Amino acid sequence: QEYLVESGGGTVQAGDSLRLTCVVSRRTFENLVMVWFRQAPGKAREFVAGISRTGNTRSADSVKGRFTVSRDNAENTVYLQMTDLKPDDTAVYYCAAQPSLSLTVIMLETKEYTYWGQGTQVTVSS
């Protein structure tokens, strides 16, 4: 199995920055599409940002210009650098992974991912 562990969440003020980390136990980390989703209370889980096997990135319109996703294949780790945080960013943030033959694809739907972390809470106060 693949095990994903998120960390770095917390409570911050609007305008602050936060960096989330997801560490993956799979040795063939390079074969994984890695993405971040988030889920606020009463809301559906939504795509935030993702990175392909070879480093192509994509982010949701709501976070463009504020969030940056990156990966370190040597450390089996993906990051989400969040800046200018807003109260609407408050949610549980999940790391998700899916093996893929494609070097460049990034899937946007939750149903397309098999492996999920337990989530880390991000709370942004006004």
Side-chain angles (χ1 to χ4, degrees):
Q1 293 184 8
E2 284 73 27
Y3 295 93
L4 289 69
V5 180
E6 304 98 333
S7 63
T11 301
V12 298
Q13 297 293 315
D16 285 352
S17 298
L18 210 56
R19 185 197 194 203
L20 305 184
T21 298
C22 175
V23 179
V24 182
S25 64
R26 184 185 176 100
R27 288 177 56 247
T28 53
F29 178 77
E30 295 85 354
N31 294 335
L32 298 174
V33 179
M34 300 296 305
V35 299
W36 291 93
F37 289 86
R38 68 186 182 187
Q39 188 165 22
K43 301 291 185 179
R45 192 167 298 185
E46 65 177 357
F47 172 81
V48 177
I51 186 164
S52 75
R53 290 178 55 189
T54 53
N56 292 338
T57 60
R58 178 177 293 176
S59 60
D61 288 343
S62 59
V63 305
K64 283 182 178 176
R66 299 189 297 120
F67 292 8
T68 301
V69 63
S70 61
R71 68 191 294 162
D72 184 343
N73 289 346
E75 299 294 333
N76 285 17
T77 301
V78 63
Y79 303 95
L80 184 66
Q81 179 65 52
M82 305 183 293
T83 63
D84 192 25
L85 283 161
K86 304 175 180 180
D88 285 348
D89 294 320
T90 296
V92 177
Y93 283 71
Y94 296 92
C95 182
Q98 180 64 40
S100 179
L101 296 177
S102 173
L103 298 177
T104 58
V105 69
I106 302 169
M107 298 81 72
L108 306 180
E109 302 294 333
T110 59
K111 65 182 179 181
E112 298 177 285
Y113 291 87
T114 302
Y115 304 104
W116 294 82
Q118 65 184 24
T120 186
Q121 176 71 48
V122 173
T123 302
V124 185
S125 301
S126 299

